[in-house]
Amino acid sequence: MRAEALRALNAERRARRAAILVTDLADGSDRLVREGDVLSGQLGEALQRAFRSGKSGTVEAEGGSFFLNVHLPPPRIVAIGAVHISQALAPMARIAGFDIEIIDPRTAFATPERFPETRLAAEWPEDVFKRRPLDAYTALAALTHDPKIDDFPLKAALETGCFYVGALGSRKTHAKRLARLAEAGVTDEASGRIHAPIGLDIGAASPAEIAVAVLAQIVAALRSRGLAAVTESRAA
């Protein structure tokens, strides 16, 4: 790997941005491709698949052989609300390979006893985000049912481009939420990205079942990033 490519790759990793080092196996030349770069052709499709899967490997494309060395930021989940769903979600998320953080300013709920071995912040989300900002490899799940706590992180997640944004609540509750977000300047297109009611529709009833539905929806969102762009490219 060239020193220039290594410096560029390290800069992307520090910024929690995805990148792939593409090496032409015929001559050893390499180049860095960042997620969001315009990609086309067979190699472009292979790169899109690699960005979604996170798996490195050799691909045959454009009449040549290339090694794709994939570097994705560790995906994380930020759950707003130290509630029963979050208690079930935290260990499931860790098993699935996600970093997870629970944020809730209500100190009676956000306690180490209720969330062992879990990063926990008994603070307002806006204060936590100043130290640990959201990014494109973060999933945000708003679970408190309290607009004073949930609305700010939802708006921040949409503005930041989190790969998943979900909110607990009925359709009636969500309609009121959309009205508040609109008043705060969130466009209909942006608020349309919110998964609400949160989680896949599997008939979940208990907090643990809802946590399963939420985690499954987050995984689906993570692994389908960029899929629309590939579909549009094929149709063009």
Side-chain angles (χ1 to χ4, degrees), residues 18 21 25 38 79 114 116 128 138 148 168 172 196:
L21 185 70
L25 297 180
V38 176
R114 298 184 70 233
V128 179
T138 300
K148 296 190 301 296
L168 189 67
K172 183 177 179 180

Side-chain angles (χ1 to χ4, degrees), residues 206-232:
S206 69
E209 289 175 349
I210 296 171
V212 169
V214 171
L215 183 58
Q217 196 170 53
I218 289 173
V219 171
L222 177 67
R223 296 308 176 196
S224 63
R225 293 169 359 271
L227 192 57
V230 173
T231 303
E232 291 169 5

Side-chain angles (χ1 to χ4, degrees), residues 162-178:
C162 289
F163 76 86
Y164 174 88
V165 184
L168 189 67
S170 66
R171 286 177 174 80
K172 183 177 179 180
T173 297
H174 187 54
K176 294 178 180 178
R177 178 187 293 127
L178 293 178

